[in-house]
Amino acid sequence: MLGLGRAMGETIAAALVIGSALGQMTLRPLAAGNSMPAVIANEWGEADDLHKSALIALAVTLFVITIVVNLVATGIVQRSMKRAQGS
Amino acid sequence: MMELAETADISAAATAAPIPDLTAKPSWRSAKSTIMTGLMVASVLAVALPLIAVVWAVLARGFAVAFKSFPDFFIQEIPTVARRAGPGMGPAILGTLLVTGAATLIAVPLGVLGAVYLHEYGLNNRFSKLVRFMSTVMSGVPSIVMGLFIYVLWTLRFGYSAFGGSLALSCLMLPVVIGSTEQMLKLVPHHLREAAYALGVSKSRTILTVVLPAALPGIVSGSLLAVARAAGETAPLLFAVGAANEYNPHLFEQANTALSIQIFGNATSSFVAAQDRAWGAALTLVLLTFVITLVARVFTAHIASRR
């Protein structure tokens, strides 16, 4: 799950191939989409002040999600270790 | 007389009975074993194939560009007219070396000293648990978030510079160095420390002269692996280093560039010449990472065999 956290933050690989679709939310995995780090990397160059602040807010959201994933993973690992030692 | 007759009877009985057939018979269990072996081989191939494919693609497309007239690609400047075909990634290579070198100088001493504290001085007190937890959290932070953190803290105040990039990279390297150094310190046998204490050596001197040299190969290889990872990071550098195109050997002044930034910029360009240079830069980066990893392995093996 640490790998999952790292993969969620993968920026450049996603920025190059993900398609940067704006606006439509779709569940089709083969349609052009977007990801938080890819949006930040792609739109940073042409962003004015408000846009930049919005992108930084997006980065905070990504940070929170990754922290939650890592905490859940650490909790699972610690609980399974405790179970292995306790019994 | 009676014993000889009995042993003759027993040996006759032993040779008369059929020897049990111990060769494997086809059954569901052996078939399941074969299927699982096949699945494991397929998994190994599935993991190895993308790696081989990536290396092959980079070699095939980057070799012609990077090694056409040998040192040209690594020394000449990046053409300002992106449409022009021709070599030049020199400034990017210098930038990568500068940024990664400065990041190593910041992260490795801090990480080693932090791990020494975590393992030797504060073994299980609350502060150490907090630091370990924070280190684990920090290792999971996405690189782009780290880059934006440095953007807000450093670039907005001091402008683009190579040092901002090395700050971001050192934040990324620090948890790796702390984790691997602590693992290596745990592997140093405790009787070495006890022998030094018995001789009257103070604790800090023991760590400096006994523990750290014993753990040195592992620490060096862990740090080199962290360096190799940091050399390829792109996202944090985008926000801290900027994208200059000329040689900039200054660490603290003015925007610089790095191989990873150039790869990203040139790969998304619409000119074929720029994309070729991106492939060449990608090959250079792969070779650089490979050399660093190789040096780490050779160093570890050399020191281990000497001991």
Side-chain angles (χ1 to χ4, degrees):
Chain A
M1 289 192 81
L2 277 182
L4 174 63
R6 231 190 118 177
M8 279 200 306
E10 182 54 48
T11 309
I12 301 297
L16 286 176
V17 292
I18 204 163
S20 308
L22 293 172
Q24 61 268 29
M25 290 169 64
T26 169
L27 281 178
R28 288 168 48 206
L30 293 180
N34 225 332
S35 81
M36 281 193 275
V39 162
I40 300 173
N42 276 331
E43 297 186 4
W44 187 266
E46 297 177 336
D48 57 359
D49 280 339
L50 185 63
H51 198 171
K52 269 193 193 149
S53 302
L55 289 176
I56 295 184
L58 198 59
V60 171
T61 316
L62 172 67
F63 182 56
V64 165
I65 294 180
T66 314
I67 296 293
V68 165
V69 166
N70 280 349
L71 285 181
V72 165
T74 314
I76 293 179
V77 164
Q78 279 183 354
R79 191 183 310 171
S80 71
M81 269 182 13
K82 214 176 285 182
R83 199 175 297 165
Q85 286 171 358
S87 58
Chain B
M1 291 298 142
M2 286 291 287
E3 298 91 28
L4 277 180
E6 278 174 10
T7 47
D9 280 338
I10 292 173
S11 56
T15 47
I19 303 171
D21 179 16
L22 292 174
T23 60
K25 286 193 290 280
S27 68
W28 170 236
R29 285 181 71 191
S30 57
K32 201 161 70 167
S33 167
T34 317
I35 293 177
M36 286 303 164
T37 310
L39 278 180
M40 277 190 269
V41 169
S43 313
V44 168
L45 282 181
V47 169
L49 267 182
L51 171 67
I52 299 177
V54 165
V55 171
W56 176 253
V58 171
L59 265 181
R61 282 175 223 223
F63 192 79
V65 181
F67 288 99
K68 186 152 65 160
S69 35
F70 173 52
D72 273 354
F73 187 75
F74 305 106
I75 297 183
Q76 284 192 6
E77 300 207 359
I78 305 173
T80 39
V81 180
R83 200 174 46 215
R84 185 188 312 159
M89 272 290 161
I93 299 176
L94 178 65
T96 296
L97 291 176
L98 263 183
V99 170
T100 315
T104 313
L105 281 180
I106 301 174
V108 167
L110 279 181
V112 169
L113 290 177
V116 163
Y117 171 80
L118 281 183
H119 186 71
E120 305 283 335
Y121 286 97
L123 191 46
N124 259 331
N125 62 8
R126 263 193 312 178
F127 183 61
S128 303
K129 285 193 184 148
L130 181 68
V131 170
R132 271 193 210 108
F133 176 68
M134 285 292 148
S135 173
T136 312
V137 166
M138 213 163 122
S139 67
V141 170
S143 58
I144 191 166
V145 172
M146 213 56 100
L148 282 174
F149 166 66
I150 295 296
Y151 175 77
V152 169
L153 271 191
W154 180 272
T155 314
L156 279 183
R157 251 163 255 191
F158 301 104
Y160 288 117
S161 64
F163 188 66
S166 48
L167 276 182
L169 286 186
S170 66
C171 290
L172 285 171
M173 285 169 64
L174 195 60
V176 179
V177 175
I178 290 182
S180 74
T181 308
E182 208 186 340
Q183 290 296 99
M184 289 303 136
L185 289 178
K186 276 187 199 162
L187 284 180
V188 174
H190 202 61
H191 60 75
L192 284 182
R193 295 187 186 89
E194 289 172 354
Y197 295 156
L199 287 175
V201 185
S202 70
K203 186 166 185 176
S204 57
R205 200 118 186 257
T206 313
I207 296 174
L208 262 183
T209 53
V210 174
V211 177
L212 276 184
L216 193 62
I219 295 177
V220 167
S221 78
S223 309
L224 281 175
L225 289 177
V227 169
R229 184 193 153 186
E233 287 286 347
T234 314
L237 298 183
L238 280 176
F239 307 106
V241 173
N245 267 342
E246 307 120 5
Y247 269 105
N248 184 4
H250 303 291
L251 190 56
F252 289 94
E253 312 163 16
Q254 287 192 341
N256 212 323
T257 184
L259 272 173
S260 28
I261 303 177
Q262 287 295 332
I263 297 175
F264 180 49
N266 282 356
T268 49
S269 154
S270 39
F271 302 116
V272 177
Q275 290 166 6
D276 284 339
R277 274 194 291 279
W279 280 110
L283 179 62
T284 312
L285 194 54
V286 166
L287 284 179
L288 185 68
T289 312
F290 180 67
V291 164
I292 294 180
T293 314
L294 197 64
V295 167
R297 298 296 172 97
V298 164
F299 187 75
T300 312
H302 179 66
I303 301 281
S305 69
R306 217 174 44 172
R307 183 157 306 148

